[in-house]
Structures are given as C-alpha cells and as structure tokens.
Amino acid sequence: MTLQNTHVKLLAFDLLSLTQSQSPSSPLFYRRAITLSRVETLGTVTLRDLKPNRFLRFAIDDGTGCIPCILWLNHLSSPSLARRHPNPADLALAADANARFAGLIKVGVVARVRGRITSYKGATQVTVSDVVLERDPNTEILHWLECVHLARNCYNVLPPPSSGLAPPK
C-alpha cells in the first residue's frame, strides 16, 4: 500500500520513527508496510536558524517530539531547484513564496507545515513546501485527534497477506 504524494498527518513521534529504505539516491520512508513521501504536521516553532539566501532551518514541537524542518531560500541560485522549475516565472514564484514563509516562521508561533519527508545525515526531516500560521488555540488538539484517528483507521491497516507486500528490511 502506498500513500506517496499524499500529505499524511503525523505526530512527531510517528514521523521520527519511520523506517527508511537503504537506497541513498531516492530514499523511501515506510510506516509499517505503507510508503510515505509527504507529511503535514502542526506545532510550536522552537528553533529558528536562518542562513540568508540559502535556507531556514527550524523545528516544530507538537508535544511528542521535535521535527526538523528545512525551507530552501536559494531558488534563484540553485541549479537543482532550477531543474525542477524550468519556467523562470515558476522559479520566481517559488522563491517569493518561500521568502514569505520564512518571514512567518518565528520562535513561539504555532504553524502547520507541509512538505516532503527527506533525510539529512541519516536523520529524518521535512523539506517544507507550505507554511500556515494557526491562531485558533484548538487547532493543536484537533490535529492530535485527527492524527490518532487516521493512524487507527488508515495508517495502521496492513495490506492483506495475499498482496505480497512486506515492509523493507
């Protein structure tokens, strides 16, 4: 079973305990036998490390752990990001959006973050594609409840034994 290209809602505890495939070129992440590539999480920003025109590294704490996040700010100078956005107008829009997101991230704010699950030096992190600040104090509790509900009813459901799918070793 796969949930690739779907933003799955996970708590830090679940995200940081994902199993990673051994392929260094394009690592895959698994929760039981389910392949994951994108995540949505919500919590309080507890760390902010800005390297201007390069990246913003920050951490989201949801009460179960801290999720390392990276927001790239070098769209206009990075050849790899330019290959992903061959149209210069798209590249400029992505650069502007990430610059706006970087301005929103401050220590102490509650933020909802979406992005790709990636790995850096063997540690799981989120490469951020979207940031929304939350002002409603109930959003954290609602996020927790949604994560528990989805884990029980979607993510913990194993495929039938006849499917031949097994988690990676």
Side-chain angles (χ1 to χ4, degrees), residues 7-127:
H7 286 97
V8 295
K9 292 185 178 191
L10 292 177
L11 296 172
F13 173 80
D14 285 328
L15 178 67
L16 298 174
S17 65
L18 294 176
T19 304
Q20 183 177 345
S21 70
Q22 299 303 320
S23 169
S25 61
S26 62
L28 296 174
F29 295 87
Y30 298 89
R31 187 177 192 284
R32 295 190 169 199
I34 300 172
T35 307
L36 306 176
S37 64
R38 300 183 186 280
V39 67
E40 177 179 319
T41 191
L42 183 137
T44 303
V45 176
T46 58
L47 170 85
R48 184 180 195 272
D49 179 22
L50 176 65
K51 302 292 183 203
N53 299 318
R54 291 180 50 209
F55 62 84
L56 170 64
R57 184 178 339 176
F58 61 100
I60 296 284
D61 184 349
D62 69 0
T64 67
C66 287
I67 300 171
C69 300
I70 184 94
L71 177 66
W72 292 106
L73 303 173
N74 61 344
H75 285 73
L76 301 177
S77 63
S78 168
S80 65
L81 291 173
R83 279 191 300 273
R84 277 192 238 154
H85 301 280
N87 181 343
D90 290 346
L91 189 64
L93 286 172
D96 289 344
N98 281 11
R100 274 194 323 271
F101 294 151
L104 296 175
I105 298 295
K106 306 283 186 220
V107 172
V109 300
V110 176
R112 181 178 307 274
V113 174
R114 296 171 114 195
R116 287 183 305 113
I117 306 168
T118 56
S119 179
Y120 179 68
K121 294 185 178 179
T124 302
Q125 69 178 11
V126 176
T127 300

